[in-house]
Every structure is written in C-alpha cells, then in structure tokens.
Amino acid sequence: MASTPSSDQTTASSSPMHDALVLRMDKAARTLLTSATAGEDIQAELQTMCLPITALWCRILRFDPAVPDWPDRDRYVVPSAAMLPLLAAMLRLTAPGAQELSPTLEYGQHPAVEIAAGPAGQGMAAAAGMALAEQQLANRYGRSLVNHRTWVLARDSDLATGVALETAQLASRFGLNRMAVLACPSPLADPADFSDSLARFHASGWSVRKVNAHDLGAIMNALQAVLRARKPTLLACIPANSPAQPDMPAEDELTGPWSPTARRGSSIRRSWLRRLAQHRARADFERDQMGRSRHTMREDWGRLWRQTMRSTPDGSSQQAAFAGLRSLALLRQDVSILAATSSTSSSRSANLPMPFGHAAQPCGIQEHGMAGMLNGMARHGGVLPCGVAGMMTIDRMRSALRMAALMRSKVLYLLTDDGLALSDNGGGWQPVEQLASLRAMPHLAVFRPACAEETFACWQTALNWPEGPAMLILCPHPPPHRTGRRSGHYGGPSHGGYLISCGQGPRHVTLMASGPEVAIATLAGQHLAEQGLNVAIVSIPCWEVFAQQPAAYRTAVLGTEGLRVGIEAASSFGWERWLGTDGIFVGMDDFGISAPANAVYERFGITAGAICQKVLARLLASGAQKGLSPSAPSPSRLEDLDMSLTITRL
C-alpha cells in the first residue's frame, strides 16, 4: 500500500516559550529524582539525562497520557532498572493518576513500561525489534496509520554488550532509521570505554552524535537531526558545564505545566483515529493488532500444509515445520520471520530462509541479537514473530528467551538440527542438558515432534500456547520407522502426550519417548511384543501441554501399573515426573564420543535391542507377571478426526 503523508508529524522547532516550559519541567523532574533511592553514580546518570529526556517528552514524543497504549504511539524503552526513576518522573508529570507511581517501576505496572528490566543489552535488542515491527507495518499499511518512532534510554553498559553490537549491525542492515538511543557515560567507568562503544556503533553504520547534556539549545538541535536521520541514531549526552539558565520556578510540578504536551498528544491520536476510520485496511489492521486470524484459517492452513508436503516427501519433522511456517506466512500477513541462515549446515542445505519467501529476513549468525529483536516485535504488537535457528545456538539465545518467558511474549521458535543428532556433526556437538534446561524455564512450551503429522499438530498447539513463547525442536532426517497411530491409540499430539498403540489386555510395559526416539521406542515395542508382552508406545512431544491435561487423561495415556521406560537422547533430568520411582530411563547423562550419530546412540544404549534387554532384565528380576494395568481405553472421538484439525482455536 502506498504511503500517505501524515499531518501530525512531530517537529522540534524552538521558541523562548517552549524552552521555558522545558526548563521548568526539567527542574520539576530533578526534584522528583532526588527522592529516588539510588547510589551516587546512578543519581549522577539520572541528573545528566534529565534535561535531554525532558526535552524529548515535552517536545517530540508522541504520547497521549489519557491513552498511553494506543497503537501509533512512540515506543520509549528503558532497559535498565537503574534508569526507571526517570521514566517514573516523566509519567508523574504527564499521566493522570500516575502521581502515586513508585520511582521503581516494574513491567506491567503502567502501559508506558514497554519491556521488563533485564540483562544489559536486552532492551537495545528489543527496541530494535520494535523499530523493525514499525517498519514492516508501515510498509503494509502506509504512514497514515503507522508513523511512530522508537526511543531508548540506555546506559553505557548496554552499549558495551555483545548483543547490543549484534543488534546495532542488524538495525543498520534493516535500515531502522526510526530508532534512536540516548545514553551517557557512567561516572565510574573509564571514558575510553564509552568512546569505544560509540566507535563500534559508528562502524556498524549508525549516526553517532555527541551533545552537551546541559545545553537545551544543543539538545533540541540534536533531536531535530535525529528526526531527519536516514540511519539509526546514537545520541551521546556528555555532562559538561551548563550555560547560564534563568532560575525557573518549580511550582505546578505535576500535570499543570505539561498540559500543552497532553493536548498535543491527544490531538495527534484523534487525528490518527479519523484516518483509521477511513482507511480501507482498517479491519486487517485491527485484527493484526489483536493478534487474531480469520475464521477459516484452521482449515485453510491444514489444506495448504498438505499440498506443500506433497513436494517434500521425506517426512522429516524439520521439513514439515518449514512447510507449516511457509503455509502460515501465506495465510497470515502478520507473520514475521527472522532466520539465522548460517548457523548450521543443514540450514544452508535447506536454503533458509528462501522456503519462506519474502516474509523472512536473514540475520546471519547473530542469533542473540535476533532473539532479542523477536521479543521487541512481540511487545510492539501487530506482528507474529518467528525465529529460525540451529539447535546448537540455543545457549546464545537463552537470555533473550528468558526475557520472552518473563514477559510472556508470544514468540515462536523453530530450532533445526535436533540433537546429537542424526546430524552430520557427529559427537562434536552433543546437547545433553539443553532439553532439560529449556523445559525448566517457566511459561515456555518445548515441542519435540517425532514425524511430519505430529509436527503439524504441534505447530497448531504452539500457535495457541497462551502462556508465552513456544519452540519446535526439529530433526532434519525422516524417522526410520513409521510412528503413526495404530490400534489402541488414545489422545493426540495436541494434548502434549498421547498413546500411539497398545495391545489388548493388561499392560506390562509403557515405552515413552519424544522426537526421533519415538521410532526407536516403536521398534523396541515390536520386539517386546514378540516376547508375549503387552507394550504401550507413548509419545510426549510437549511436557508443558501434557502436564496441563486432566489427571484422568494422563493416567489413561501412561497407565497406572507396569514398567515405565523413558527414551530420549538427552539428560534424564526431569523424566522422573513421568517414570515414577521404579521406571527406567534410556538416554545420555554424559558427553559421548566424536562419531556419527548411530555410533553415539549405540554407546549410550539408545537402540531397540539394548532397550529390550534392559526391560526384560528388569521384568525378570521383579517377576514377569507383576504390576499389570487395565486395558487401554478406547480412542477418543476427537482423535478419530484428521490430526491436522485437532485444534479448536486459531
């Protein structure tokens, strides 16, 4: 859609009356900051940044105190908890009812707190994600509906982190010229370190400017330059001798003197609402902002996925997930994909991100910056962010992933090259503890599907996961044996765990697995059945979803008696919740050897033959007829339907 010029462009023209208002508000804000509990160094930074931030809020920021969360507002990001008192002071001086806000704001306490305070650099990455979301929405709907900026109040420690440098390079690559960072040097840090950070940002393609933090005229000129910049901007506010300023009174410290700012923000918002009411894409815009899809999305997605899978007959979970994402991007225009294209060999061989068309943007090997940007895109609204990276890079993305889980942001991840992986790397990369650590993260749903059909069902469930981020851990190779449901099946992948097969009569053994190991469990079950045992095969692709099912459902799937065996090419940590005290785990609790995947599997006994030996030995030691369970229940009516239609809401 062609861009329509907006009539509410913010300007920063200077006048004595406006300057007097800014200076009066600066004095009021400094008075509020003195009540903040902070060390001398933090207090010095707050006082240094007070005038630049006051000028920004009073003259430029698109902010309506009455509706602080309207879609086309400027995003003002404060990554560090140490700088939150300055945001609290601005809100107390502008927002009705904000006088009672604590100087130590927390995420969720007020809509103007865009992100949670976290590790240094995470806020920078999130802000870049917000700027990228704004750019994508503006390209889709035009500047008449999307015409805001992203401002960041950063510390020098934010600029010095590796994730900030990755973000700086990505922001320059994506042309995020509506992103601006304001920062000052810490009084306790070496000035050379701050200069080095500025040099790195300049080398990354940013416009870097220095300004006297106590000179209002210089600050306004610098902010005008930010509005005209064609690059992302870093404004370094340097404490220096302040030019003589008139002694401005501090009366009317709260909302009174700020009423011109409130009127300006209200006028901009009302003008935007009039344009929205007349915009031909209003329905699509509002649906994207609410994160909703069309009523026919469920059926259309399943149909398009099946058509796509006809051209990828190998049936691997990785190709099935790519087909699902490609189909979803065609059906939902709000899907935004960032792909770490060079992280793994199979990603390159899969020609990422080309399978996703124009919707994907490559991020090279800068996975940490990419993950942080996905958080900002989710917090911005209007887009459904999805990241594609290699499983081996998860540790580099962990801080950003924890931030997504902490804020319960809707971010989807596709992690390729699962595990030790039936991958070409052999034993060189062995993610022994990664699955356990990811499953231990609150609000994160971890899906490890076994086959193509299970992958698509997991895709649908991940899209509807209500508590935060979700990830699919994928294998690039098809399962060696068919793992589909047979007689005696119960439930389905949409429930997080389900019964693949179970014979008639009392249950002797329950084999539980996820991912590629489901095929091994199926083969082991066939061998044990030849020994006269009734074996149940259970797939648990998502522990978090399975744990939320009713207790009766989990009991029906796992059984009440008999020997339980867990199979997974990873650590046993956490499996006791499903195995009980007498169960057996077949996996790996140590690093293996540098060898092809099949050799490593054999070393740890993750083979059908080794599993059968362990099961028979345990049954022989305990008595072959001990601990039987009732027959498996009949299949539920829901799961008699096609597996791709098991989700009721999209």
Side-chain angles (χ1 to χ4, degrees):
M1 180 175 295
S3 179
T4 304
S6 172
S7 61
D8 57 15
Q9 288 282 355
T10 304
T11 59
S13 59
S14 181
S15 70
M17 180 182 68
H18 290 154
D19 291 349
L21 177 62
V22 173
L23 292 173
R24 186 187 302 183
M25 293 307 96
D26 175 61
K27 186 171 183 178
R30 291 178 189 275
T31 302
L32 294 176
L33 289 176
T34 57
S35 63
T37 303
E40 293 184 4
D41 56 328
I42 302 300
Q43 211 31 270
E45 291 185 51
L46 292 172
Q47 295 293 331
T48 298
M49 296 302 300
C50 189
L51 184 58
I53 296 303
T54 302
L56 172 65
W57 275 69
C58 191
R59 301 291 310 284
I60 294 178
L61 198 73
R62 294 165 59 98
F63 177 72
D64 184 359
V67 189
D69 57 352
W70 66 294
D72 202 31
R73 70 190 183 279
D74 277 1
R75 270 57 174 183
Y76 178 71
V77 179
V78 184
S80 173
M83 305 303 288
L84 283 175
L86 191 49
L87 172 59
M90 296 298 105
L91 292 177
R92 291 180 64 182
L93 291 168
T94 59
Q99 287 77 18
E100 303 300 324
L101 286 176
S102 169
T104 55
L105 282 174
E106 294 184 0
Y107 176 73
Q109 189 174 350
H110 191 278
V113 184
E114 299 284 356
I115 66 167
Q122 288 300 318
M124 292 279 293
M130 294 178 183
L132 180 59
E134 188 275 343
Q135 181 189 78
Q136 294 176 346
L137 290 172
N139 292 337
R140 189 183 309 158
Y141 295 107
R143 288 293 175 195
S144 62
L145 289 188
V146 185
N147 191 34
H148 56 270
R149 294 178 176 272
T150 303
W151 306 86
V152 187
L153 172 57
R155 301 186 67 195
D156 58 354
S157 56
D158 291 306
L159 306 182
T161 58
V163 63
L165 183 58
E166 290 188 15
T167 299
Q169 295 173 349
L170 291 174
S172 177
R173 182 186 308 170
F174 297 151
L176 304 182
N177 62 334
R178 287 178 166 257
M179 177 182 177
V181 178
L182 286 75
C184 70
S186 170
L188 300 182
D190 187 345
D193 293 339
F194 188 70
S195 298
D196 290 344
S197 296
L198 300 185
R200 285 192 292 267
F201 272 73
H202 184 270
S204 298
W206 282 50
S207 173
V208 179
R209 301 178 63 90
K210 293 183 179 180
V211 63
N212 183 347
H214 302 294
D215 187 343
L216 179 58
I219 292 171
M220 295 308 301
N221 289 335
L223 292 176
Q224 288 177 350
V226 170
L227 298 179
R228 298 190 302 266
R230 297 184 179 181
K231 301 177 180 179
T233 303
L234 173 57
L235 186 60
C237 302
I238 309 299
N241 293 329
S242 173
Q245 303 288 359
D247 186 15
M248 306 301 300
E251 69 269 12
D252 297 330
E253 291 180 356
L254 299 177
T255 59
W258 285 76
S259 56
T261 300
R263 288 197 299 269
R264 175 173 56 84
S266 178
S267 175
I268 292 174
R269 185 179 62 85
R270 289 196 302 269
S271 175
W272 178 83
L273 287 173
R274 288 192 294 269
R275 294 196 300 274
L276 175 64
Q278 300 173 2
H279 203 282
R280 61 182 181 179
R282 174 184 177 182
D284 291 339
F285 180 84
E286 292 177 340
R287 182 171 53 246
D288 288 351
Q289 290 298 316
M290 298 178 68
R292 294 180 178 176
S293 59
R294 293 181 175 85
H295 296 299
T296 60
M297 228 288 290
R298 177 178 134 192
E299 291 79 8
D300 293 342
W301 192 16
R303 187 182 309 110
L304 187 56
W305 176 78
R306 294 187 199 93
Q307 294 175 356
T308 306
M309 284 300 294
R310 293 193 185 104
S311 61
T312 55
D314 64 3
S316 69
S317 61
Q318 185 163 303
Q319 287 298 333
F322 290 164
L325 181 56
R326 185 161 56 246
S327 304
L328 185 66
L330 293 175
L331 295 172
R332 288 187 57 164
Q333 63 178 358
D334 61 334
V335 173
S336 180
I337 306 169
L338 301 183
T341 57
S342 302
S343 57
T344 57
S345 59
S346 68
S347 295
R348 292 192 296 270
S349 63
N351 200 24
L352 291 178
M354 293 305 294
F356 314 127
H358 68 281
Q361 292 187 274
C363 297
I365 58 173
Q366 295 158 321
E367 293 90 356
H368 194 179
M370 179 192 78
M373 292 180 66
L374 291 170
N375 293 344
M377 297 169 73
R379 300 313 309 167
H380 180 280
V383 297
L384 177 63
C386 181
V388 181
M391 173 66 180
M392 64 179 294
T393 66
I394 188 59
D395 287 329
R396 297 208 292 269
M397 300 186 290
R398 193 174 298 275
S399 294
L401 184 61
R402 290 189 75 254
M403 290 294 294
L406 175 68
M407 297 185 290
R408 301 197 179 195
S409 300
K410 188 62 179 179
V411 182
L412 302 175
Y413 284 91
L414 269 64
L415 300 185
T416 63
D417 290 349
D418 172 23
L420 94 139
L422 304 178
S423 75
D424 298 332
N425 296 326
W429 166 251
Q430 295 171 25
V432 180
E433 77 286 0
Q434 270 71 13
L435 275 175
S437 63
L438 291 172
R439 287 167 176 160
M441 191 176 295
H443 312 307
L444 171 66
V446 181
F447 295 84
R448 192 168 183 255
C451 59
E453 292 80 7
E454 193 172 296
T455 300
F456 187 65
C458 289
W459 237 129
Q460 294 176 309
T461 310
L463 190 62
N464 292 315
W465 175 248
E467 297 189 13
M471 63 170 50
L472 274 69
I473 300 179
L474 308 167
C475 178
H477 300 285
H481 309 284
R482 180 174 175 81
T483 59
R485 298 170 296 174
R486 295 191 290 269
S487 61
H489 73 81
Y490 180 75
S494 61
H495 295 89
Y498 68 106
L499 188 62
I500 293 178
S501 65
C502 184
Q504 299 297 322
R507 185 188 302 188
H508 299 94
V509 181
T510 300
L511 301 180
M512 298 175 285
S514 72
E517 288 76 63
V518 173
I520 298 176
T522 302
L523 183 59
Q526 294 174 1
H527 294 333
L528 291 173
E530 295 174 357
Q531 301 293 324
L533 297 176
N534 182 16
V535 182
I537 308 299
V538 174
S539 174
I540 311 181
C542 183
W543 289 17
E544 295 76 20
V545 174
F546 188 55
Q548 291 185 350
Q549 302 305 313
Y553 175 83
R554 297 197 304 270
T555 300
V557 172
L558 300 179
T560 56
E561 296 179 347
L563 178 63
R564 294 183 181 180
V565 182
I567 307 167
E568 192 169 63
S571 169
S572 62
F573 190 85
W575 269 94
E576 60 273 5
R577 68 187 301 186
W578 313 124
L579 295 177
T581 58
D582 297 327
I584 300 175
F585 179 77
V586 179
M588 47 189 298
D589 285 318
D590 194 2
F591 299 105
I593 56 177
S594 294
N598 56 349
V600 181
Y601 270 70
E602 291 177 1
R603 166 175 174 162
F604 287 101
I606 313 175
T607 62
I611 294 170
C612 291
Q613 291 179 5
K614 290 183 179 181
V615 170
L616 293 174
R618 174 64 67 86
L619 293 177
L620 180 62
S622 60
Q625 300 300 317
K626 184 178 179 180
L628 303 182
S629 64
S631 300
S634 59
S636 64
R637 295 182 60 187
L638 173 65
E639 295 303 329
D640 286 336
L641 302 176
D642 186 274
M643 189 177 297
S644 64
L645 302 179
T646 57
I647 303 302
T648 57
R649 63 188 192 278
L650 282 172

